[in-house]
Amino acid sequence: MRRKLVAGNWKMNGGLAANAALIADVKAGLAVVGVQADIAVCVPAPYLAQVQAAVAGSALALGAQDVSAHASGAYTGEVSGAMLAEFACKYVIVGHSERRAYHGESDEVVAAKAVAALKSGLTPIVCVGETLAEREAGQTNAVVGRQIDVVLSVLDAADVEKIVVAYEPVWAIGTGKTATPAMAQDVHAMLRARLAAKNAGAAVRVQILYGGSMKPDNARELLAMSDIDGGLIGGAALKAADFLAIVQAAQGN
Ligand code: PEP
């Protein structure tokens, strides 16, 4: 059975004082509810050192929100996988819909970033998802399938089990609208079939997360679906009580 992963995506939120309080509250909560899942926080790059120190020795893993496709050099503003690894990052989000939409990241760029992450020993959390117009046009599987296939096309088969996939319907992110458990399960099953076409043995071990307005009041039913192996949590990751409630839903406690 796959272990669940609950990963917070802080996006461009936080500050030194707020981060310290949030991590302290999450750690205190985990001491009460226990840890039977993988749990991570993906923080803005300037706070990596702060949060690295704050989570040291705890069950909380550190993640970043983006990585350069390049190893080093004249790429002003970018952060390499090796740099993230120096701060003990375990995860890095690649291909979040906000990066695809606001920074023009193509499927090919996202694939190159996933490879760069793997080269630095990081686990890429590869985000895929359709827009509302695409869903309404009946293109969900075609769009999401294409997004994952481009990434899989550049991976070695042996690397399939080193990635995490996050299905995040664009229309559900930050909107309060959530895919129904059945809608999400359908896409997750399609994603697992695509992974299996590349490496059947690995596909059963890959964690496929749902993201898009996952909250304490809808997490349990989403996480009960057979191919939903956790959540990528935006807004609710900024409130310790909400994040912890989703962790508990993932752990079934
Ligand atoms: C996200 O940004 O990855 C996300 C899922 O956001 P939210 O939970 O706020 O919809």
Side-chain angles (χ1 to χ4, degrees):
M1 183 154 145
R2 288 177 296 274
R3 195 170 156 91
K4 296 266 198 286
L5 165 62
V6 179
N9 172 16
W10 288 5
K11 311 197 193 201
M12 198 174 71
N13 293 295
L16 291 171
N19 302 344
L22 180 53
I23 294 293
D25 288 349
V26 169
K27 285 197 319 190
L30 290 178
V32 175
V33 304
V35 177
Q36 294 106 43
D38 297 330
I39 309 167
V41 285
C42 298
V43 311
Y47 299 130
L48 286 170
Q50 180 202 15
V51 180
Q52 177 191 13
V55 302
S58 80
L60 275 174
L62 181 60
Q65 298 174 10
D66 185 31
V67 64
S68 177
H70 307 285
S72 65
Y75 301 102
T76 302
E78 297 209 17
V79 176
S80 73
M83 293 171 186
L84 299 179
E86 280 197 311
F87 290 93
C89 279
K90 178 170 166 60
Y91 299 100
V92 61
I93 297 170
V94 299
H96 192 281
S97 68
E98 288 151 15
R99 299 229 38 107
R100 292 179 190 258
Y102 308 143
H103 302 274
E105 291 190 9
S106 64
D107 295 335
E108 289 72 22
V109 166
V110 173
K113 288 185 171 195
V115 169
L118 289 167
K119 274 192 188 146
S120 295
L122 306 167
T123 299
I125 301 176
V126 178
C127 297
V128 294
E130 82 288 0
T131 64
L132 186 57
E134 289 163 342
R135 173 160 285 271
E136 287 176 348
Q139 294 170 346
T140 299
N141 282 2
V143 169
V144 176
R146 184 203 73 227
Q147 291 172 333
I148 196 66
D149 279 349
V150 174
V151 174
L152 291 172
S153 72
V154 298
L155 293 189
D156 293 336
D159 283 342
V160 170
E161 64 189 293
K162 298 182 187 158
I163 71 170
V164 168
V165 178
Y167 169 53
E168 298 210 307
V170 178
W171 48 270
I173 296 177
T175 59
K177 292 183 191 150
T178 319
T180 64
M183 281 161 79
Q185 168 60 29
D186 279 353
V187 179
H188 282 231
M190 183 275 295
L191 283 164
R192 200 173 305 283
R194 300 288 177 128
L195 296 167
K198 179 86 182 187
N199 183 336
V204 295
R205 293 191 287 274
V206 173
Q207 292 164 316
I208 305 180
L209 315 183
Y210 170 80
S213 299
M214 191 186 272
K215 309 275 181 217
D217 62 0
N218 60 27
R220 239 168 245 278
E221 52 175 8
L222 285 160
L223 292 165
M225 305 308 287
S226 59
D227 285 295
I228 301 186
D229 309 313
L232 183 56
I233 319 297
L238 299 172
K239 291 186 196 139
D242 286 359
F243 190 64
L244 287 161
I246 296 172
V247 169
Q248 283 188 273
Q251 299 184 157
N253 64 4

